Amino acid sequence: MARPRSLFPALLVALAAGCGAAPPPGPDAPTTAEVGPTNGAAGTNGATKSGEPTKPDGASAGKDAVAPPLVFIEDDLDGAMARARAEKKALFVDAWAPWCHTCLSMKNYVLVDPALRPLADRVVFAAIDTDRPSSAAFLERYKMSFWPTFFVIDPAKGDVVAYLPGAVSAREMRSFVEDAVRVMDASAPPSDPLYTLAQASAARAAGDHRKALALYDELLAKVDARWPRRDDALAGKLSSLAGSGDVDGCARFGAEHVDEIRGAAAPADFAAVLLSCASRLAKSSTQDLVRRKAIAKLEALVASPPPESTVDDRADALAILAGVKSELGDTDGARAAHEKRLVIMEKAAAEAKSPEIAATYDYGRAISYMALGRGEEAVRMLEQREREMPKSYDPPARLSNALAKMGRLDAALAANGRAVALSYGPRRLAYLKQRADLQAKTGDRKGQIATLREEVAGHEALGPGQRNEAALADARRRLTEALGEGSAPPKR
């Protein structure tokens, strides 16, 4: 899966979290990061408020083991906020998107865990599809660069109490929410470092990397390795360093702490951010050292995955490893990682109870099929998924991408058309961009210009919370180039 060096930082993050930043990337790369790196997934290690670890997922005793799964209020944030205020509960928000495989893994395998059900006594649970127009106001106030991102919000003030980008286990999620409720209720003593973590989380949610870094430094000075949430602080600081553009600081800090991170998904995510920062350093012995440390961590994770990690978590670790090995010219190593990755995803997809759950693995399977030169298998898999899920835009979008890579441009355009017809919001604009690229390759200049005009208009129509100025500028540039010299630039 060799890719240009300029794409490598985004690739690492895409493979880590599977789901990305604004603007939503193209159909084959559903992720990127805060100005570059990491899903910053919290290393929530699942300790309870007493500091003792909870039981592993699915091992909860008594009513937790038989409780029904959580019920989410879908795409009605105002209603969820009002209910939380009325019931004097915290508000949990799952900010997700249908194209995000990590979002699907969390929804299908983690958030349905009965062990989380008791949290409903203190928390109202809501989920928003971030591409829908109804989500724009939320995204304007609360910044996110990774899909999924989970928020715990004090509904009385609208303040972020806790912020979790990426994937965790059910045990880790329960600890994350319980600690957030303690902060919101002020049931922890004022000296508890959870309050500083909450402030740092709020700063990240506001996009204030400088403030977040100061708070993470303050927090890390207070705690030692025994503090149950130290992994969150380390991952949060690394993400903030990356988001601030301090790639040297990110590389040094990440290399120092990469072996300390615990959790289901956080260790691989941390290594991905570290690699992303290292890839933007000048070629040097420091860059080589940082890469070696990250690769060693990934190889250890692949050899002995964290026991609570999902198949999606394990597949991501293998994908990150495959990506860096390909970048460094180790073709055999990259291929071996893809082959191992495909085996575990194929098994999970075959065991899934529904096509919707099996679709969790479509992105990863398609990527590995293509990397292994097995494109026809990717096409057959995605064609079947489109038949099974005719109302979903994701299968035809991924099918279009696979067909385009195989040079089957007319078929790719047809699949793209089906995806565009079903999609909405920022994701639809990503598919319009793909359509314009395909039209350019097939020589349909008139169609290309019409599509680019539609893409530009779509970006301009987005609300502030969903609009990405860089994506809009890029669409305008491509339209101007397609129109040719002497043409009037597109209206602003």
Side-chain angles (χ1 to χ4, degrees):
M1 189 166 54
R3 302 204 179 197
R5 181 174 297 272
S6 62
L7 296 182
F8 191 58
L11 170 64
L12 289 173
V13 181
L15 296 175
C19 315
D28 63 332
T31 296
T32 169
E34 301 175 65
V35 193
T38 191
N39 83 5
T44 323
N45 63 22
T48 64
K49 60 185 178 182
S50 67
E52 295 297 321
T54 60
K55 295 182 180 182
D57 296 348
S60 301
K63 66 177 183 179
D64 290 10
V66 296
L70 293 167
V71 176
F72 282 75
I73 297 173
E74 300 280 350
D75 294 311
D76 181 12
L77 206 54
D78 290 342
M81 190 79 77
R83 178 177 165 186
R85 281 195 297 266
E87 298 180 4
K88 294 181 170 50
K89 294 180 178 180
L91 176 65
F92 177 98
V93 179
D94 171 11
W96 75 291
W99 46 262
C100 163
H101 71 83
T102 301
C103 302
L104 298 180
S105 179
M106 289 297 294
K107 280 183 173 292
N108 293 328
Y109 293 97
V110 176
L111 295 176
V112 295
D113 194 305
L116 298 177
R117 183 62 179 82
L119 296 172
D121 293 341
R122 285 293 296 114
V123 182
V124 170
F125 286 83
I128 60 168
D129 177 347
T130 57
D131 281 332
R132 295 194 179 279
S134 57
S135 300
F138 178 87
L139 297 172
E140 185 175 4
R141 177 169 184 180
Y142 305 103
K143 309 303 180 188
M144 58 178 287
S145 299
F146 311 102
W147 278 253
T149 294
F150 304 98
F151 300 82
V152 178
I153 296 171
D154 181 347
K157 302 176 182 178
D159 294 342
V160 171
V161 180
Y163 177 91
L164 172 59
V168 289
S169 68
R171 181 172 63 87
E172 293 169 326
M173 181 61 81
R174 181 165 175 168
S175 174
F176 165 76
V177 176
E178 287 174 341
D179 283 347
V181 170
R182 289 181 71 208
V183 170
M184 198 182 97
D185 288 350
S187 56
S191 60
D192 196 315
L194 282 176
Y195 290 106
T196 309
L197 180 61
Q199 291 176 308
S201 295
R204 284 182 70 193
D208 190 340
H209 300 299
R210 181 178 297 182
K211 182 177 180 180
L213 282 169
L215 287 163
Y216 283 125
D217 283 339
E218 177 186 337
L219 177 59
L220 289 168
K222 291 180 182 177
V223 302
D224 58 25
R226 294 171 296 178
W227 188 55
R229 300 292 298 279
R230 185 169 180 268
D231 301 279
D232 293 30
L234 293 172
K237 179 174 178 179
L238 188 73
S239 178
S240 295
L241 284 165
S244 71
D246 183 3
V247 293
D248 182 67
C250 169
R252 286 186 286 103
F253 180 81
E256 181 181 356
H257 297 287
V258 67
D259 291 325
E260 302 173 35
I261 303 298
R262 300 159 293 176
D269 295 338
F270 195 94
V273 186
L274 178 55
L275 284 168
S276 183
C277 289
S279 71
R280 292 187 285 166
L281 294 174
K283 187 173 178 59
S284 63
S285 58
T286 300
Q287 184 189 59
D288 291 341
L289 173 64
V290 170
R291 280 178 168 164
R292 284 199 302 273
K293 292 200 71 168
I295 292 170
K297 181 63 176 180
L298 289 166
E299 288 178 333
L301 290 170
V302 165
S304 181
E308 293 179 342
S309 59
T310 64
V311 169
D312 188 70
D313 298 332
R314 298 176 188 192
D316 280 347
L318 283 160
I320 300 163
L321 185 60
V324 69
K325 284 184 176 290
S326 178
E327 167 71 8
L328 299 178
D330 182 0
T331 305
D332 291 341
R335 185 175 185 86
H338 276 296
E339 288 173 342
K340 185 173 183 178
R341 182 174 185 249
L342 198 51
V343 167
I344 64 172
M345 288 189 294
E346 292 281 20
K347 182 175 185 293
E351 294 173 350
K353 296 179 180 179
S354 70
E356 289 76 16
I357 295 176
T360 300
Y361 308 104
D362 288 356
Y363 163 72
R365 292 167 68 194
I367 290 293
S368 287
Y369 279 136
M370 299 302 292
L372 294 170
R374 295 162 59 181
E376 290 298 338
E377 291 176 74
V379 169
R380 287 195 296 272
M381 180 263 292
L382 293 168
E383 287 176 337
Q384 177 183 342
R385 188 74 69 230
E386 186 175 4
R387 290 191 294 270
E388 295 168 336
M389 298 169 57
K391 295 182 180 180
S392 173
Y393 61 71
D394 199 58
R398 301 209 184 283
L399 176 60
S400 176
N401 184 68
L403 290 167
K405 288 185 175 180
M406 296 166 67
R408 296 166 59 180
L409 301 185
D410 290 339
L413 269 167
N416 171 269
R418 299 192 297 274
V420 168
L422 292 167
S423 57
Y424 46 86
R427 197 62 182 171
R428 182 173 181 273
L429 302 180
Y431 300 151
L432 287 174
K433 178 179 179 180
Q434 183 191 38
R435 176 195 281 179
D437 290 344
L438 289 169
Q439 288 168 326
K441 290 176 181 177
T442 58
D444 181 6
R445 183 169 178 272
K446 182 178 178 180
Q448 177 195 11
I449 290 171
T451 299
L452 288 169
R453 289 189 189 280
E454 186 177 359
E455 183 188 350
V456 169
H459 280 293
E460 292 172 339
L462 290 176
Q466 292 175 321
R467 180 184 294 187
N468 183 282
E469 296 298 336
L472 173 57
D474 178 66
R476 286 174 173 158
R477 176 190 59 77
R478 287 182 283 110
L479 175 55
T480 299
E481 290 177 353
L483 288 169
E485 292 185 12
S487 300
K491 294 181 180 179
R492 293 179 179 271

